[in-house]
Amino acid sequence: EIQKLRLLTVVSLSQHSMTLSYSKLMQELDLDSTRSLEDLLIEGLYNSVISGRLDHHQSQIHLTATIGRDLDPAHGLDHEQERLTRWAAETEGVLNWLDERISKLQGLQKEKEREREEFKDK
């Protein structure tokens, strides 16, 4: 159980940075040796809790992915709702911009076709 909680702590820490130093992890996870930390990280990699690469020379792990967490306890549901509302508004703006571009391009295409027809008629 303690190992699972420690791995979830690694996942939580990865929300702030995907590169985590061994010293920070050992402090946060209350581990006293690099070997025990690496064993934990290898277990997380093996069980697909985290994905990444251990860097022994720099004493850090470079994460590429982690399992998802339900909600960030520091922010809660209201924060997530605000993020999703902003995302929806930004997405709507992008879709509107794309619609305008498509309409403009369709208009240009019709104009070019008209010019071709006029050229053929001459």
Side-chain angles (χ1 to χ4, degrees), residues 102-118:
I102 289 170
S103 294
K104 186 181 274 188
L105 290 172
Q106 287 172 337
L108 290 172
Q109 183 180 9
K110 287 179 183 177
E111 187 178 316
K112 289 285 183 186
E113 288 172 4
R114 232 184 343 257
E115 288 174 0
R116 275 191 211 123
E117 290 299 318
E118 289 176 8

Side-chain angles (χ1 to χ4, degrees), residues 15-34:
Q15 292 177 345
H16 305 288
S17 174
M18 294 298 277
T19 299
L20 301 170
S21 70
Y22 284 9
S23 60
K24 177 167 180 64
L25 287 171
M26 289 172 60
Q27 178 185 0
E28 292 288 332
L29 302 173
D30 194 30
L31 295 171
D32 55 0
S33 73
T34 301

Side-chain angles (χ1 to χ4, degrees), residues 74-108:
H75 295 104
L77 189 57
D78 291 338
H79 176 70
E80 293 301 316
Q81 184 175 3
E82 289 172 17
R83 283 185 51 220
L84 289 172
T85 301
R86 279 195 313 272
W87 175 81
E90 290 172 9
T91 303
E92 187 174 342
V94 169
L95 290 174
N96 289 335
W97 179 82
L98 287 172
D99 286 340
E100 290 172 12
R101 294 291 300 162
I102 289 170
S103 294
K104 186 181 274 188
L105 290 172
Q106 287 172 337
L108 290 172

